[in-house]
Amino acid sequence: MAKIAYILLCHKDPDAIIAQAGQLTAAGDCMAIHFDARASDADYAQIRNALKGNQNVIFSKKRIKCGWGEWSLIQATLHALQAAVDQFPRATHFYMLSGDCMAIKTAEYVHSFLDEHDLDYIESHDFFESNWIKTGMKEDRLIYRHYFNERNQPRLFYAAYEVQKRFGLTREVPADLQVMIGSQWWCLRRRTIEMILSFLRNRRDVVRFFSTTWIPDETFFQTLVRHLIPQQEIDNRTLTFLMFSDYGMPVTFYNDHYDLLLGQNYLFARKISPEAHELKDRLGQLYASEGVSFHISDEGRNLYHFLAGRGRVGRRYAQRFWEIGNSLGPERELFLLVCKKWHVAKRLVDQIASETTIPCIEYIYDEQETPLPDLGGIETTLTKRSRHRRAVARMLYDHFQSNKLVLCLDPANLDVIRDFCTDQARTRILEIECAYSDDYLTGHAHRVGLAGQNSSDEAIARLLPTLRNALAYESELIRGIRNDSLFHLRETADRAENEAVIAEFLGVSTDQAKAIMQLEYLFAD
């Protein structure tokens, strides 16, 4: 059975560390702690005194002053690892943690999971080919030597950096290594750790190289594991659930995130707020529990980005630089059918196509599989269509040899709607207002990844009001568009009223409008 040696790097909150160590070792696992030498000696003494009777807890023989982005973090980890390897010969796995991490599954579940999969869990992507680094220096992390801390000594950091750049003082990556990058929160098997420690004893050149790279905790273990372990024995992911905001800051979890965390396909979560005492207590009790079943929905990231993005979507009024002067033409008419229920809009465009000569295209900027004519390749992906939306629309006019065109759009695609409303073409918008039952909203949450198949009824019930408000807000934003040709087709209106709207919107006869609206099940789910 798996026995885990937790490698805990920490620097604050001694009470939380004591509780964390007690909770994780109560189930038979063990822990090696490195407490930052920059931190309070009194706090360190408090931790040691509180845990001195726990035979499953040891401390690094040497404390390192750690700094963000420095080699010191790796050195501290290696000290803790060596202590754990020596002290806990029965440990089968070594799991990297911080003081902000907590288990979101039971020890029973964690051990069973590791027993079933004889793998190393570490995120590792090719340093040069991947897009893992979003901003800041990339290659320069490796080819120049970094002796100073960018946060604490910015002037020295950048002065040394600029001197090396000016005089071309670059260096080569060790020839036999393919540098990888990924999250620093890993879980590795004992034989992998032993191979890494043995490798480092024989390869001081590798230690020298990484000791002056920038942010080596994102590259050191990631590179060595890929170098020493066959690919089929590595699962390229972390078992610690963590998210980042749009600003690159870690997302913090609070008391009301308990159910969400348990539903994620991970073993631990980071970062737990220091003030989330109730969440910490519940997760601590959970780890020691037995017979708990978990319903994995794994919707956490999609749900966070949905909730965090409310009010930030579709706020662009000006044209993108590549679209300036890229007009459809004043002689053309564009009819936009805007509807959240795609099946309703698709039924309506089928009717329009069958009763008129106006070309109709379904959700061209929202759905990859929308049927389209050959437009020379620009139509192949949603990314291309959206980036060159006016060009795509012009090519559709030309393809159908018509000055009229009907397009379906999701109301969330507000930037596209606004963009076409600023064009010289005569743009009309028909907002199809549908009723949204709880069953429909639940299905919508599943379809867009805001809920998983195993999401609890309570979690969905809390989500539904937010979803309903989000849809109402999208409708409000559409009404805010300055367009004199905005029409509304309502599920709650009688047929005669909707027929009049269709006739005016499309500029067709009353008989044609009646034929278009003869579909009895237009709004049916």
Side-chain angles (χ1 to χ4, degrees):
M1 180 177 179
K3 182 179 178 69
I4 306 168
Y6 291 107
I7 308 302
L8 178 64
L9 266 57
C10 47
H11 65 280
K12 62 180 180 179
D13 202 349
D15 291 331
I17 294 167
I18 294 165
Q20 185 181 25
Q23 291 161 358
L24 293 178
T25 58
D29 293 313
C30 45
M31 177 177 288
I33 298 176
H34 179 277
F35 194 71
D36 194 336
R38 296 183 190 274
S40 164
D41 289 336
D43 286 348
Y44 182 55
Q46 177 186 347
I47 296 169
R48 291 203 68 131
N49 289 333
L51 298 174
K52 63 183 179 181
N54 190 331
Q55 298 300 311
N56 286 329
V57 176
I58 60 168
F59 293 83
S60 295
K61 294 180 180 179
K62 185 176 181 181
R63 291 173 63 197
I64 300 293
K65 292 182 178 180
C66 297
W68 185 89
E70 291 182 5
W71 168 255
S72 54
L73 289 173
I74 300 298
Q75 188 62 70
T77 305
L78 291 173
H79 283 319
L81 274 173
Q82 188 65 64
V85 168
D86 294 342
Q87 186 69 26
F88 305 123
R90 297 181 61 188
T92 61
H93 294 77
F94 295 78
Y95 199 121
M96 182 74 177
L97 291 177
S98 76
D100 296 322
C101 298
M102 288 204 71
I104 56 175
K105 299 292 186 293
T106 62
E108 182 180 62
Y109 182 100
V110 171
H111 294 152
S112 176
F113 179 91
L114 295 177
D115 284 336
E116 291 174 7
H117 309 283
D118 184 22
L119 298 169
D120 291 312
Y121 293 90
I122 183 167
E123 185 183 30
S124 53
H125 308 279
D126 186 279
F127 185 92
F128 297 100
E129 298 299 328
S130 71
N131 193 34
W132 202 85
I133 298 174
K134 303 298 183 184
T135 59
M137 65 173 64
K138 186 174 182 178
E139 183 182 18
D140 290 0
R141 289 193 190 189
L142 306 180
I143 64 174
Y144 296 113
R145 297 165 182 84
H146 302 278
Y147 299 102
F148 304 101
N149 187 290
E150 188 263 351
R151 291 188 173 182
N152 299 333
Q153 303 166 297
R155 289 187 179 180
L156 290 173
F157 178 90
Y158 286 107
Y161 173 52
E162 292 299 334
V163 166
Q164 292 178 81
K165 287 178 65 178
R166 180 178 179 181
F167 292 102
L169 302 177
T170 59
R171 60 175 178 176
E172 297 293 331
V173 175
D176 59 332
L177 292 185
Q178 179 184 6
V179 179
M180 309 296 286
I181 190 167
S183 169
Q184 63 267 52
W185 309 110
W186 39 254
C187 177
L188 302 177
R189 298 167 297 174
R190 184 181 192 90
R191 63 178 177 269
T192 301
I193 292 297
E194 291 175 342
M195 290 174 69
I196 290 173
L197 295 176
S198 175
F199 177 84
L200 295 176
R201 285 191 290 269
N202 298 319
R203 292 292 301 272
R204 302 310 297 173
D205 62 311
V206 172
V207 174
R208 286 194 298 272
F209 174 78
F210 280 103
S211 65
T212 52
T213 61
W214 182 229
I215 320 181
D217 53 317
E218 294 179 350
T219 55
F220 181 76
F221 288 101
Q222 296 79 356
T223 299
L224 296 191
V225 171
R226 285 283 180 179
H227 181 70
L228 298 170
I229 305 301
Q231 182 175 348
Q232 61 270 23
E233 295 183 26
I234 302 172
D235 192 336
N236 189 9
R237 72 181 184 106
T238 176
L239 294 178
T240 299
F241 179 60
L242 67 162
M243 298 187 295
F244 291 90
S245 71
D246 292 344
Y247 303 99
M249 300 300 292
V251 173
T252 302
F253 299 109
Y254 297 93
N255 291 333
D256 56 349
H257 288 127
Y258 179 81
D259 291 329
L260 180 143
L261 292 177
L262 266 58
Q264 306 315 304
N265 190 24
Y266 296 85
L267 305 184
F268 279 75
R270 186 181 188 275
K271 306 170 69 167
I272 308 298
S273 169
E275 288 77 35
H277 301 297
E278 179 187 341
L279 177 61
K280 289 184 175 183
D281 290 342
R282 295 180 73 182
L283 291 177
Q285 294 169 15
L286 174 73
Y287 190 72
S289 302
E290 295 181 354
V292 180
S293 60
F294 295 91
H295 303 289
I296 306 299
S297 51
D298 214 24
E299 80 289 5
R301 285 190 171 83
N302 288 335
L303 185 58
Y304 168 77
H305 290 298
F306 167 74
L307 295 175
R310 294 305 89 204
R312 295 174 55 83
V313 178
R315 296 297 179 105
R316 181 178 68 80
Y317 292 87
Q319 290 176 298
R320 299 184 187 274
F321 69 90
W322 62 74
E323 295 165 340
I324 296 175
N326 186 11
S327 173
L328 301 181
E331 74 284 359
R332 286 172 168 161
E333 292 182 273
L334 181 63
F335 305 95
L336 302 180
L337 265 59
V338 182
C339 185
K340 198 66 175 183
K341 291 186 177 181
W342 291 8
H343 59 279
V344 174
K346 289 179 180 181
R347 288 170 187 161
L348 185 60
V349 296
D350 284 344
Q351 289 295 104
I352 294 172
S354 64
E355 299 297 335
T356 72
T357 59
I358 304 175
C360 299
I361 301 292
E362 295 176 358
Y363 286 84
I364 181 173
Y365 302 113
D366 302 286
E367 188 174 30
Q368 175 63 40
E369 303 306 321
T370 297
L372 290 170
D374 183 358
L375 301 177
I378 198 173
E379 80 287 353
T380 52
T381 67
L382 279 175
T383 302
K384 286 185 177 181
R385 296 178 208 164
S386 298
R387 182 182 299 133
H388 309 291
R389 50 181 167 266
R390 293 195 185 188
V392 171
R394 283 204 319 274
M395 294 172 78
L396 288 171
Y397 281 114
D398 294 338
H399 174 82
F400 292 114
Q401 297 183 350
S402 171
N403 282 333
K404 295 184 177 183
L405 181 65
V406 173
L407 299 178
C408 294
L409 289 173
D410 190 287
N413 219 338
L414 196 69
D415 59 337
V416 176
I417 300 171
R418 282 185 172 135
D419 186 31
F420 280 128
C421 286
T422 63
D423 192 85
Q424 294 179 0
R426 289 166 288 171
T427 302
R428 300 181 184 183
I429 305 170
L430 177 65
E431 183 187 10
I432 305 176
E433 299 179 12
C434 302
Y436 301 110
S437 66
D438 286 352
D439 287 341
Y440 172 81
L441 291 177
T442 300
H444 178 68
H446 286 295
R447 287 189 292 274
V448 299
L450 298 179
Q453 291 303 316
N454 293 317
S455 294
S456 66
D457 293 340
E458 293 80 4
I460 291 177
R462 290 195 297 270
L463 176 62
L464 292 186
T466 305
L467 263 179
R468 198 178 296 279
N469 290 337
L471 298 184
Y473 182 61
E474 288 177 352
S475 181
E476 179 183 332
L477 290 176
I478 291 171
R479 287 180 171 85
I481 295 176
R482 296 179 179 178
N483 188 296
D484 296 332
S485 301
L486 177 61
F487 302 85
H488 300 277
L489 194 74
R490 297 182 171 89
E491 183 174 355
T492 56
D494 58 43
R495 179 179 290 184
E497 184 178 345
N498 283 336
E499 288 171 355
V501 170
I502 286 293
E504 186 176 1
F505 170 67
L506 294 174
V508 297
S509 67
T510 302
D511 290 340
Q512 284 179 301
K514 288 181 177 179
I516 292 169
M517 291 302 300
Q518 67 181 346
L519 209 59
E520 296 288 346
Y521 56 89
L522 176 63
F523 292 99
D525 289 334

